[in-house]
Amino acid sequence: MSKDFFSLEKPTFSFEIFPPKGEGNLKTVYDTVDALASLSPDLISVTYGAGGSSRENTAVIASDIQTKYNVPALAHLTCISSTKEEMDEILKELKEKGVENILAMRGDVTDTAKVGDFKHANELVSYIKANYDFRVFAACYPEKHTEAYSMAEDLRYLKQKVDAGADALITQLFFDNEVFYNFMDKVRGVGIDVPVIAGIMPITAASQLERMVSMCGASIPKEIQQFVKAYGHNSMAMKEAGIAYATKQIIDLLANGVDGIHIYTMNKPEVAKRIVENLRGILYALKVKRA
Ligand code: FAD
């Protein structure tokens, strides 16, 4: 029986992985899970079709994390092109497989996506809460969602998602902690009081930064621009700079009382491991009562 994520003291420390495309690469993802589980995280999340990764394997991998590794698992789930019947099928499978936590999202709208029964994430959150017994997480955006006209509008819908039953929020990646602190003031200001877990992506290659920025529009502090310019052509130096920046970002977040840290590992456990090693003393001190 694994821990209940919601009974843990804050700050929590967790990781995101993505399932591979096709059966062939499943072993690689289990190597990643092995390495991450050995770092004793409070939760590991598994994406659903993000960045072209497979959807089929999300439930199986999340189930194994929860039941075989005894680490709380969070299965991502998107609803935009699904009918209620299709959602029921997936939700029943997750329940049967022992998964207890779901990150309920709309998903990206594409020209080719078929229209389903859910228009926005709040509808999926309500549906899950009304019909199933899961802990539900939802996504939030410190620099607002790219489709939202304004932060005020995005926050209004975020509040609706929480009022629909979201138990916790995980942020889109951000590189500037001030952006996060401003966002948190606004989140608490509109009356959202659930835990908000900060999503941190270590940037270990220049190409990764370009891809991420074009996908989610995160602003890039001058410090990152400078080290990418200086070290972008040198993979080893770039990796070290990315690890150091993420470590520094997390230390500052912990010092400012963040509810939790969620590392987007990009299935690179060695990077996550280096960050955890850098933080070991602080994490131990903060969680000493939990040990
Ligand atoms: P919503 O909450 O529905 O919001 C989308 C937009 O609609 C926003 O602009 C919002 O302001 C607006 N809006 C919200 N509710 C309403 C409403 N009721 N009426 C009108 N407008 C509304 N994608 C994947 O495909 N797979 C993944 O595994 C995945 N994991 C992610 C993990 C995290 C932590 C984050 C932050 C994102 C992830 N995504 C993933 C991306 C996500 O699917 C996209 O950002 C998607 O475009 C929005 O999903 P959402 O649940 O935030 O949508």
Side-chain angles (χ1 to χ4, degrees):
M1 183 73 182
S2 69
K3 302 172 280 190
D4 168 24
F5 178 79
F6 286 88
S7 66
L8 298 175
E9 274 177 57
K10 292 178 218 161
T12 54
F13 207 83
S14 53
F15 299 123
E16 177 189 284
I17 60 164
F18 59 85
K21 264 191 190 158
E23 294 275 312
N25 296 323
L26 261 183
K27 183 181 174 316
T28 334
V29 89
Y30 281 100
D31 289 344
T32 301
V33 176
D34 271 341
L36 293 177
S38 74
L39 302 173
S40 307
D42 295 324
L43 176 131
I44 298 178
S45 83
V46 188
T47 66
Y48 185 74
S53 68
S54 144
R55 291 185 164 193
E56 288 72 36
N57 292 323
T58 300
V60 174
I61 297 168
S63 167
D64 285 342
I65 291 169
Q66 181 90 40
T67 59
K68 298 192 180 147
Y69 290 83
N70 286 326
V71 173
L74 172 64
H76 295 207
L77 185 60
T78 61
C79 61
I80 185 63
S81 47
S82 298
T83 60
K84 285 190 174 156
E85 290 71 29
E86 286 164 341
M87 272 294 125
D88 283 331
E89 216 174 285
I90 301 169
L91 290 163
K92 280 181 191 143
E93 185 189 356
L94 288 167
K95 192 82 268 167
E96 277 163 22
K97 286 185 154 54
V99 175
E100 293 167 4
N101 306 295
I102 292 176
L103 174 50
M105 286 167 295
R106 181 196 68 180
D108 286 329
V109 179
T110 59
D111 294 343
T112 51
K114 71 177 197 302
V115 179
D117 289 331
F118 304 87
K119 284 196 200 64
H120 284 284
N122 66 300
E123 295 172 20
L124 179 61
V125 174
S126 298
Y127 187 74
I128 296 174
K129 283 292 179 178
N131 297 291
Y132 295 87
D133 173 26
F134 285 106
R135 287 292 209 161
V136 177
F137 292 60
C140 65
Y141 304 83
E143 298 183 72
K144 84 171 183 60
H145 189 272
T146 47
E147 289 166 31
Y149 287 118
S150 65
M151 180 56 98
E153 180 198 80
D154 212 21
L155 281 166
R156 213 167 39 247
Y157 289 128
L158 184 61
K159 174 84 166 71
Q160 201 178 19
K161 216 151 55 166
V162 173
D163 290 344
D167 298 292
L169 300 171
I170 304 186
T171 76
Q172 180 61 280
L173 62 94
F174 61 91
F175 301 111
D176 180 348
N177 286 357
E178 288 308 316
V179 164
F180 176 76
Y181 300 139
N182 286 335
F183 174 68
M184 285 306 296
D185 286 347
K186 293 186 183 123
V187 164
R188 298 306 182 214
V190 297
I192 294 173
D193 56 8
V194 297
V196 178
I197 297 163
I200 299 298
M201 178 172 284
I203 291 296
T204 53
S207 54
Q208 182 195 356
L209 184 63
E210 283 154 26
R211 205 170 51 249
M212 286 308 142
V213 172
S214 73
M215 267 170 70
C216 70
S219 52
I220 312 295
K222 206 160 175 205
E223 191 179 339
I224 296 190
Q225 290 175 23
Q226 273 166 340
F227 76 63
V228 171
K229 203 165 142 199
Y231 310 132
H233 60 283
N234 180 329
S235 60
M236 205 191 286
M238 183 63 210
K239 187 170 160 185
E240 292 303 316
I243 290 170
Y245 188 88
T247 303
K248 198 172 77 160
Q249 216 188 336
I250 295 170
I251 289 174
D252 183 67
L253 289 164
L254 294 172
N256 281 280
V258 71
D259 292 325
I261 300 287
H262 191 62
I263 298 190
Y264 295 113
T265 71
M266 304 300 287
N267 290 9
K268 289 184 186 150
E270 71 288 356
V271 171
K273 187 163 179 246
R274 287 281 308 284
I275 294 171
V276 171
E277 278 165 2
N278 291 343
L279 295 167
R280 196 179 295 284
I282 294 179
L283 289 175
Y284 179 75
L286 289 173
K287 295 185 179 181
V288 78
K289 279 189 248 134
R290 196 188 297 172

